Amino acid sequence: MENWVSVFTTTQELDAGIVKDLLDEAGFPAVILNQKDSSYKTFGDINVMVSRDNQEEAKKVIKDYYDRE
């Protein structure tokens, strides 16, 4: 995953899923990297990752989405 970078970090699986779907629909393939502890769900983060080449465009899509809410 050396060419992948995090563009969104959350502790909520639902929020990560929404952002991943948003990016996929915008043409930026995204994956979810869940780093939450499997025993204690309160520890760790969930990152939405995209290709380094799409980093800036993906961040703009996410910003635009949250700015209109």
Side-chain angles (χ1 to χ4, degrees):
M1 293 202 59
E2 63 194 42
N3 290 326
W4 293 79
V5 293
S6 176
V7 291
F8 184 79
T9 302
T10 183
T11 58
Q12 302 297 317
E13 290 181 45
L14 179 62
D15 291 338
I18 290 169
V19 170
K20 179 194 181 306
D21 290 346
L22 180 69
L23 293 172
D24 285 341
E25 288 176 14
F28 303 112
V31 296
I32 294 175
L33 178 62
N34 188 338
Q35 296 180 308
K36 289 184 94 49
D37 187 287
S38 60
S39 298
Y40 302 98
K41 297 290 184 182
T42 57
F43 298 111
D45 290 323
I46 303 168
N47 294 293
V48 179
M49 314 283 288
V50 298
S51 168
R52 186 177 309 279
D53 296 337
N54 297 329
Q55 180 178 9
E56 294 306 317
E57 295 92 344
K59 285 183 178 181
K60 182 176 182 337
V61 168
I62 295 166
K63 181 182 182 314
D64 290 347
Y65 175 77
Y66 280 102
D67 282 350
R68 68 181 168 112
E69 284 196 336

